[in-house]
Amino acid sequence: LAPKAVVTCSAVMAAEVEAGSRLLGLGKQEAGSRLEAESRSRLGQQEAGLEAEARYRRLLGLGKQEARAGRLASALELLQEAETLCPSGKLRRWLERLEAAVREEQEAEEEEEEE
C-alpha cells in the first residue's frame, strides 16, 4: 500500500475502534482486537475467493486445451470441476454440448467394437 493509503486505513480503523467501543460498551483495546479479528477473517475470505478464481481459470484453460486436442472426456471432467467453482449459463450450455459429443463418441466406439 502507498503511504497515503496506510494513513487512510489507519484513520478509518481508529474511527471504527472508537465507534465500536462506544456502541458495544467495550474498552478500546477489546474493540480493536475484535475489529482486527474480523478484518483477518474478511482478508482470509478474500484470499480464498482469489484462489478459487485462479483455480477456475486454470481448469477452464486446461479444459479448452483438452477439447481442442480432441480429448473430450478429459475436457468434460475439467470443465465440470470448473463449473462447481463458478457456475454460469454459458459454461453449462458448453458442458451440455460437450456431454452430447462424448456420448456420440462412446456410441461410435461401441458400434465399432460390435462389428
Side-chain angles (χ1 to χ4, degrees):
L1 291 173
K4 187 174 186 177
V6 172
V7 170
T8 303
C9 290
S10 296
V12 169
M13 190 163 181
E16 288 178 350
V17 167
E18 180 70 32
S21 67
R22 279 192 310 245
L23 285 173
L24 300 173
L26 304 172
K28 285 185 182 179
Q29 186 174 4
E30 188 176 353
S33 296
R34 284 191 184 182
L35 183 61
E36 188 176 324
E38 287 176 16
S39 294
R40 278 196 304 270
S41 175
R42 276 187 250 135
L43 182 60
Q45 290 170 351
Q46 288 172 342
E47 287 174 354
L50 292 174
E51 288 173 13
E53 183 178 346
R55 185 155 194 254
Y56 167 78
R57 291 182 186 281
R58 189 171 54 253
L59 288 167
L60 195 60
L62 290 171
K64 287 179 179 181
Q65 285 178 354
E66 290 294 289
R68 282 188 214 109
R71 295 183 290 269
L72 301 183
S74 175
L76 182 60
E77 288 179 26
L78 291 163
L79 294 172
Q80 285 172 332
E81 190 174 344
E83 186 189 32
T84 63
L85 296 172
C86 185
S88 75
K90 183 178 179 179
L91 183 54
R92 171 71 346 232
R93 288 186 297 277
W94 194 25
L95 282 169
E96 289 169 358
R97 289 194 307 268
L98 196 51
E99 288 167 348
V102 168
R103 273 193 306 274
E104 288 175 17
E105 206 174 64
Q106 290 171 344
E107 289 171 2
E109 287 175 7
E110 289 173 4
E111 286 178 12
E112 284 180 13
E113 289 175 3
E114 290 176 4
E115 294 176 358

